Amino acid sequence: MNISRRNALALGGAALTVTLVPVSFAQAAADDAMAQAVAEFTGGADIAEGGIELTTPEIAENGNTVPVGFSAPGAKRVVLLASKNPGPVVSFFTFGALSAGDASTRIRLAGTQDVVVIAEMADGSYTQVSKAVKVTIGGCGG
Amino acid sequence: MGKPRVKVPKSAKAGEVITIKTLIKHKMESGRRKDKKTGELVPRNIINMFSASFNGEEVIKVDLHGSVSTNPYFQFQMKVPESGELAFKWADDDGNVTETTSKITVG
Amino acid sequence: MKKLLSTVALGIAALTIGQAASADPSRTAKLVIDGTEISTHAKGMAGGPLDELYSGWLFRSDETRALQLDDFDNPAFVFVDDGETLFNKVDGSEGKSCSSCHEAGDFKGLRPVLPRWNEAKGKIYSMENYINDCRTERMGADKWKWSKPKMTSMVALISLQSRGLPINVATDGPVADIYEKGKELYYTRVGQLDMACSNCHEDNYGNMIRADHLSQGQINGFPTYRLKNAKLNSIHARFKGCMKNIRAKPYGQGSDEFQALELYVASRGNGLSVEAPSVRN
């Protein structure tokens, strides 16, 4: 796989983050895995913002079952990512002509993080949307 | 895998966009969980593919990689061009496949 | 891509600040399932411990509450389906299934009055007791464990028949002493944290405990599908979990203590609607 300029930039950004806030090695590894997953999906192409509606709870009551949904009208393919899960790729979606380019599901989130949706549109362009989901620890109550 | 639950309207107008809901019982064992008694990793066994086709034409296909919750749920919308049959399929890592169909009448 | 990373970094900052999380419980949300409204609020009994009764559903976030609005969104229904399969399955030496003698619909009205006194057996009966009696005495089959999936699935199927009916357990007559014992258990501080059920579910409902919104600890929604463990949870399993959280040694599931507590807690919700199978976090 080619490491495009964008990916190199992204990795640099990750390194910068590490110097600013105390994040663990696991954290840096998660960021790398995320950058790689994105690059694999887009082949390193530019990614525009918007054009996708992403529905997530602001705060998830339990990270084990978090409802998420997206609507990307006209999308051919979509990847749903959880930025800090051990494997960031949650699922790939392929849409046929009868589809509305939308889906809702329930996912596991290993902690507070961004849920990201990237869509490949019919013309081969890419667009993304991302939302932070805070995962509270179900601390009590059996 | 358990018996799937699917909610599909029985009838629609031609060209109408309908909402479909599906739910199936499955542990969705991530492969990252340790058995509490033996301390060993429980092998991964997840539903890795879900699809729905209308009269043979694929509407949606999902390749699941992990992190989808136990008892996976998928909801999606589709346009109904004509009367026909919606066929659903789930496949897991252990090679189990579950299929079910629902009829939609346009009229 | 840059945007992606900067939002990731922001997420980390928010975590270190440790902002208090607040989901969105609502005292006025309406539980309407397939066009039928199920009331989640009732007046407490005169002289009872609670003036207003609120279902635990009201204390959950928008997203968790939404899971209960359609039986096709409600993940508990995969277990109701299992319950139905079990109901029709021949098991045991007599070659019978539940459906040899019952129709699930026959059980409408049963959930709201349990647990109750069983005169023939001379003891208090929860739904689990009735089911196991039929299995051992009428089917020649093994008992099911109190909180294992077969039992919780069957309890869900039977409880669902009464969805929307008001809880109405008797607290007098032959169960009067059991009721008093349950009440005492409810108000007795136990465990390393030295807390009673009442300290959380009576004194503090509506408040946050760590990241969780405390409810009145009602049992009208049981069995409940919990997001945490993605399965049905029995009433006694939940009691056990709460006791473990206050570092107390839990009573056994199906024990006299938990049955007494079940009766007392059920009576605190007399008037609330059966909501089974519900979804909780």
Side-chain angles (χ1 to χ4, degrees):
Chain A
M1 189 190 63
N2 283 332
I3 296 190
S4 69
R5 207 183 70 83
R6 287 189 84 80
N7 285 323
L9 210 156
L11 289 173
L16 199 76
T17 315
V18 172
T19 56
L20 289 177
V21 281
V23 284
S24 67
F25 286 112
Q27 187 50 62
D31 288 352
D32 280 359
M34 184 67 181
Q36 197 183 341
V38 172
E40 273 173 26
F41 184 72
T42 62
D46 285 356
I47 309 172
E49 294 283 333
I52 310 173
E53 206 181 300
L54 172 61
T55 314
T56 58
E58 222 168 289
I59 301 165
E61 277 197 300
N62 195 292
N64 208 20
T65 315
V66 183
V68 300
F70 64 83
S71 172
K76 279 195 302 189
R77 280 196 317 143
V78 160
V79 64
L80 171 64
L81 300 148
S83 65
K84 293 201 179 71
N85 274 7
V89 177
V90 177
S91 291
F92 295 104
F93 298 80
T94 313
F95 295 111
L98 295 177
S99 144
D102 78 310
S104 302
T105 183
R106 296 165 189 161
I107 68 174
R108 297 180 184 137
L109 292 178
T112 293
Q113 57 184 294
D114 284 347
V115 170
V116 180
V117 168
I118 306 176
E120 182 186 353
M121 308 311 287
D123 64 0
S125 67
Y126 292 89
T127 182
Q128 72 162 23
V129 62
S130 138
K131 275 197 175 168
V133 179
K134 185 180 277 189
V135 176
T136 60
I137 314 132
C140 201
Chain B
M1 257 182 277
K3 196 172 66 176
R5 289 177 61 78
V6 298
K7 187 183 195 182
V8 177
K10 286 197 174 60
S11 61
K13 295 190 193 75
E16 191 181 340
V17 175
I18 59 168
T19 298
I20 291 157
K21 298 180 177 186
T22 71
L23 186 64
I24 193 163
K25 189 171 145 192
H26 198 284
K27 284 242 179 290
M28 297 299 278
E29 194 59 65
S30 67
R32 296 196 185 89
R33 194 177 63 89
K34 281 193 176 139
D35 186 306
K36 273 188 197 138
K37 285 185 192 120
T38 66
E40 280 173 38
L41 280 180
V42 181
R44 185 184 115 151
N45 179 21
I46 65 168
I47 288 182
N48 54 46
M49 199 283 304
F50 162 72
S51 69
S53 302
F54 186 73
N55 289 345
E57 182 185 343
E58 191 171 276
V59 178
I60 183 173
K61 176 162 166 278
V62 189
D63 293 292
L64 292 76
H65 277 237
S67 307
V68 173
S69 304
T70 304
N71 308 326
Y73 171 85
F74 286 104
Q75 180 189 320
F76 59 93
Q77 292 183 306
M78 69 166 277
K79 193 192 265 179
V80 186
E82 69 224 354
S83 294
E85 193 174 75
L86 197 54
F88 302 93
K89 185 172 175 180
W90 293 259
D92 77 6
D93 291 342
D94 281 4
N96 301 305
V97 173
T98 298
E99 291 175 283
T100 187
T101 57
S102 301
K103 284 205 164 40
I104 306 173
T105 308
V106 166
Chain C
M1 192 45 128
K2 252 194 137 160
K3 167 82 185 301
L4 193 90
L5 281 163
S6 58
T7 47
V8 166
L10 265 175
I12 297 162
L15 242 190
T16 45
I17 294 163
Q19 205 177 34
S22 139
D24 12 49
S26 163
R27 292 280 166 88
T28 52
K30 296 247 178 292
L31 175 54
V32 180
I33 305 173
D34 258 334
T36 306
E37 184 173 346
I38 293 175
S39 83
T40 51
H41 172 223
K43 289 277 172 209
M45 280 181 301
L50 301 163
D51 294 335
E52 306 288 334
L53 311 181
Y54 298 107
S55 159
W57 182 79
L58 295 169
F59 296 84
R60 308 286 35 104
S61 71
D62 286 350
E63 292 80 17
T64 308
R65 285 203 311 274
L67 296 178
Q68 227 179 286
L69 298 178
D70 181 340
D71 293 347
F72 283 89
D73 285 331
N74 184 338
F77 275 81
V78 299
F79 298 100
V80 172
D81 285 352
D82 283 358
E84 218 165 279
T85 306
L86 286 167
F87 199 82
N88 295 312
K89 194 176 152 198
V90 171
D91 197 7
S93 58
E94 303 302 304
K96 292 204 157 74
S97 69
C98 315
S99 57
S100 310
C101 306
H102 301 288
E103 273 182 51
D106 297 344
F107 295 121
K108 184 170 180 178
L110 183 62
R111 171 76 271 170
V113 298
L114 297 182
R116 70 171 173 209
W117 186 252
N118 181 330
E119 191 59 48
K121 301 284 174 174
K123 86 181 270 308
I124 184 169
Y125 256 49
S126 303
M127 194 181 292
E128 290 84 350
N129 299 115
Y130 282 108
I131 294 170
N132 270 339
D133 272 9
C134 280
R135 287 188 53 80
T136 56
E137 295 170 13
R138 300 191 172 97
M139 296 168 67
D142 292 340
K143 265 190 188 173
W144 281 333
K145 287 231 171 78
W146 199 271
S147 299
K148 289 282 185 198
K150 283 183 179 148
M151 183 61 97
T152 52
S153 298
M154 186 61 77
V155 171
L157 172 70
I158 295 177
S159 303
L160 172 65
Q161 313 307 318
S162 303
R163 191 162 69 178
L165 298 179
I167 302 279
N168 183 26
V169 291
T171 58
D172 52 1
V175 293
D177 288 349
I178 300 170
Y179 170 84
E180 287 304 327
K181 181 178 162 190
K183 184 173 178 180
E184 191 188 314
L185 287 168
Y186 195 87
Y187 286 100
T188 304
R189 289 171 178 269
V190 289
Q192 278 174 38
L193 300 191
D194 195 31
M195 291 180 87
C197 312
S198 58
N199 293 136
C200 284
H201 295 298
E202 184 169 314
D203 305 342
N204 278 301
Y205 70 85
N207 293 333
M208 299 291 289
I209 180 159
R210 298 220 225 154
D212 216 342
H213 247 106
L214 275 171
S215 73
Q216 292 181 337
Q218 298 284 3
I219 55 175
N220 59 309
F222 279 81
T224 56
Y225 183 96
R226 294 190 61 192
L227 304 184
K228 174 182 163 161
N229 55 22
K231 63 171 188 178
L232 287 180
N233 294 260
S234 73
I235 295 167
H236 290 194
R238 188 76 200 219
F239 289 173
K240 177 183 168 189
C242 277
M243 288 190 79
K244 280 175 95 166
N245 276 327
I246 48 178
R247 311 247 158 74
K249 189 169 179 289
Y251 299 108
Q253 302 186 49
S255 65
D256 292 349
E257 287 86 357
F258 271 176
Q259 284 197 288
L261 201 52
E262 180 183 343
L263 174 65
Y264 178 67
V265 176
S267 78
R268 291 172 68 94
N270 266 349
L272 274 181
S273 300
V274 172
E275 217 182 88
S278 67
V279 183
R280 301 287 187 260
N281 61 321

